[in-house]
Each structure stands twice: as C-alpha cells, then as structure tokens.
Amino acid sequence: AGLDRLGIGPGDRGAIVSQNSARLLTSFYGGCGWGRILVPINFRLAAAEVDYILDHSGATVVMIDPELEGELATAGVKHRFVLGPESDEVLFPTGGDPNPWAADEGATATINYTSGTTARPKGVQLTHRNCWVNAALFGWHVQLSDRDVYLHTLPMFHANGWGMPWATTAMGCPQVALRKVDGAEILRRVELHGVTLLCAAPAVVNAVLDAAADWDGPIPGAGRTRVVVAGAPPPSRTIERVEVELGWELLQIYGLTETSPLLTINRHRSEWDGHPSHERARKLMRAGTPAVGTRLTVDLTGEVLARSNTVMKGYWNQPAETEAALEDDWVHTGDG
C-alpha cells in the first residue's frame, strides 16, 4: 500500500540493503506479493557496487539499513529511505489496502545480483514460479512444519535466504531474525525460542561449535535442531562434531542463485542407521542427490549442468550472458 502511494507499481523495482530484520522479511511479501520486483542487495558491498546495482536494476526506491546510512549516502534513486519509524509511516502504513494485482507466476519476483569477481555483478531474474517451487521443494526435503521454529542466520539477501522466508511463512512456522552472526548468540536463540531449523555456511557452524565448547549446561537443541549447510563442503570432522558435540542433525545442499537455489540435498538416510558417526559424516560430505524435479548432468568438460523449474528466467538486461548460461533450459553452473 505504501508503494502504491509512491506511484511504484507492478513491474517496478524496489531495492533493499539491510541485515536480517523484520522489515526485510516483510519486504519479500509487501513487494513481491503485489507484483513489484524486489532487489535484495548484499549489505557487505561497497557503496560503488550498490550504486551500480541500483542503476542497472532501474530501482525507483531503495530502503537502507540505518547502520549503512552514511556509507550509502550517494545512493541516487527517486525514493530513498532509511529504515526506521519515519520510513514505516510511508512504506508500512497501518491498515493499508493495496491495489489488486493479477498474479502471474511467470513474472519476475526478485533480481538477485551475483558477486562479480572478474566482471560486473549479474542480476539473476527469479520468477514467482521459480521461488515457490524452490520453497516447496526445500520445505519438503527438510520436512518443514508449523511445529518448527526457524532461525535466520543466513542473510536473507543471499538467494532470498535460500527461499526460507517463503517456505517458513507458508507453513506457519515462527521465525527468529538474527541480525549478526555470533556463535554464542545462536545458541542463546536456539535455547530461548526453541529453534529447530537454521541454514548456515560452514564458518557459521564452526562458530557455533566454538561457542558450544564454553557453553554452561546442556547444549540447546540437542536431539531436536537441524542445520542445513551449503556454500562450501564441510570437512567430515565438522559434520561429526555437529552430531556428537551439539546433538544436531546436519544436512548438506548444493545450489546457486541462478537455480533459486536448491539443486541437491544430502541427509541422513534410514539405511545409515547404526553406522558409526564417522562413517555417516563421510557420506554427508557429498553434495547429495538431485532434489525432486531436478535433473543434473555433466558435460564433456566436466561442468555440472542443471535443469529444473527453479532455473532462472535470465540475467536482467544482459541477453548475451543469459544465452551463454542457458542452453535448452539447462543452466551452466560453472562448477566441476
């Protein structure tokens, strides 16, 4: 409703640069849910990189975390807001009645910019279909339900928090937003809120393991919490420590922003019951098997190709890059 009043309609781009927060979570619904295209930007990027993304995406509004207000002072778009009580009056009006939008699952829901190591970042266009299929598949594979409590340790900007903001809300799952990663704070949140599920990179898992070594009392979540890991293959020793020292279940996935992101999942299988923990850990080091509805193959050069309803629409305003990445709906992952 706030975007309606600003004249920002369906198909227009709205960007947000924020650490995990309730306002960021809400934007996935207030923006995408009414036909706008959300552009969640990595809050760790330099100001020049943020400026490039705002310009390239054609964003007409940007919402900025208060901690970044000074650093991103040059962000030049038509409407610039620093998230807080004053912006809430405009962007989050109480009792707002949004203009209706005729939902189109083929429409772009988000543009997620990949980090550019050798070139400018590319804007990955994910459609509503991409996002809801990914959320449904992810929720199915991790057995998400309304009895879960989810902790957002993973930055929500990163491939839309792997789709978890949608999967958890769809299932009526309470969510806890962690603004900054801290191992001891993660354990405190797990204890305080009864967290049963979180997603994390191996470095975050190691931070929790380090904090657990100094934890006074039983480890929170033992026998109840599961952690989904991706971003880098965790060593078997780390996987074993999660099970033995934390009492948590570790699941490993593989994917990329261009695939919404879920491609494969590896989880403790029933036939592994009774195996020693170190043997299970070695099996969990693998990337796993394709998610339901996903096809993977390896070409003659050894590159992994993927085909799924979660494969992106293309790169925003970059047809040559899109053509190079997509071949008969197979996406080139760039991974071996």
Side-chain angles (χ1 to χ4, degrees):
L3 295 174
D4 287 339
R5 296 172 190 178
L6 291 174
I8 299 170
D12 290 338
R13 277 75 67 202
I16 183 166
V17 194
S18 174
Q19 302 208 42
N20 284 350
S21 67
R23 291 182 178 92
L24 174 53
L25 177 66
T26 304
S27 298
F28 281 99
Y29 290 90
C32 305
W34 269 266
R36 282 74 171 187
I37 299 174
L38 185 68
V39 185
I41 299 177
N42 184 346
F43 58 82
R44 301 186 184 100
L45 294 178
E49 294 174 296
V50 173
D51 288 344
Y52 169 80
I53 291 172
L54 292 174
D55 179 66
H56 186 265
S57 67
T60 51
V61 60
V62 62
M63 299 168 278
I64 297 173
D65 190 292
E67 283 192 15
L68 302 173
E69 179 181 5
E71 183 179 339
L72 301 181
T74 61
V77 298
K78 185 175 182 180
H79 302 284
R80 179 183 182 274
F81 296 96
V82 176
L83 291 168
E86 291 184 8
S87 66
D88 286 351
E89 294 181 8
V90 179
L91 295 170
F92 299 91
T94 303
D97 187 15
N99 296 333
W101 174 61
D104 175 10
E105 68 172 15
T108 299
T110 64
I111 302 175
N112 302 81
Y113 279 81
T114 60
S115 56
T117 52
T118 58
R120 289 288 197 177
K122 296 189 290 288
V124 176
Q125 287 181 259
L126 297 179
T127 67
H128 287 262
R129 181 176 181 81
N130 292 153
C131 293
W132 81 254
V133 171
N134 175 79
L137 286 174
F138 209 155
W140 189 8
H141 279 291
V142 303
Q143 297 177 303
L144 185 70
S145 79
D146 62 351
R147 298 183 185 278
D148 280 305
V149 176
Y150 183 72
L151 177 63
H152 286 282
T153 55
L154 178 75
M156 295 181 201
F157 75 78
H158 181 43
N160 303 321
W162 298 353
M164 275 298 174
W166 287 307
T168 49
T169 303
M171 295 304 294
C173 173
Q175 299 167 68
V176 181
L178 183 71
R179 184 169 171 81
K180 296 182 179 180
V181 170
D182 176 89
E185 184 59 28
I186 290 173
L187 288 174
R188 283 192 288 270
R189 301 280 179 112
V190 172
E191 182 175 56
L192 177 64
H193 299 287
V195 170
T196 62
L197 180 65
L198 61 146
C199 297
V204 177
V205 174
N206 286 329
V208 175
L209 289 169
D210 290 343
D214 299 320
W215 187 262
D216 186 16
I219 299 299
R224 182 189 70 227
T225 299
R226 53 206 190 278
V227 55
V228 182
V229 179
S236 62
R237 178 58 182 149
T238 297
I239 296 172
E240 185 176 14
R241 288 183 64 198
V242 169
E243 179 181 331
V244 175
E245 297 177 23
L246 299 180
W248 295 4
E249 180 187 1
L250 185 143
L251 298 75
Q252 183 169 189
I253 68 167
Y254 160 70
L256 51 153
T257 303
E258 286 85 344
T259 58
S260 304
L262 185 64
L263 286 178
T264 72
I265 185 159
N266 193 359
R267 187 174 189 180
H268 182 121
R269 303 177 65 87
S270 58
E271 59 263 32
W272 303 348
D273 291 348
H275 289 200
S277 60
H278 67 275
E279 288 187 10
R280 290 195 298 271
R282 281 202 298 269
K283 294 178 184 294
L284 285 169
M285 284 178 64
R286 303 167 181 168
T289 53
V292 172
T294 298
R295 295 176 62 194
L296 296 180
T297 189
V298 179
D299 69 11
L300 296 176
T301 69
E303 183 183 5
V304 177
L305 308 180
R307 196 173 194 179
S308 169
N309 282 300
T310 60
V311 170
M312 66 173 180
K313 188 175 186 176
Y315 293 117
W316 179 259
N317 287 343
Q318 291 178 294
E321 287 82 353
T322 298
E323 184 177 358
L326 298 177
E327 184 178 348
D328 295 328
D329 293 329
W330 289 90
V331 65
H332 289 256
T333 66
D335 294 322

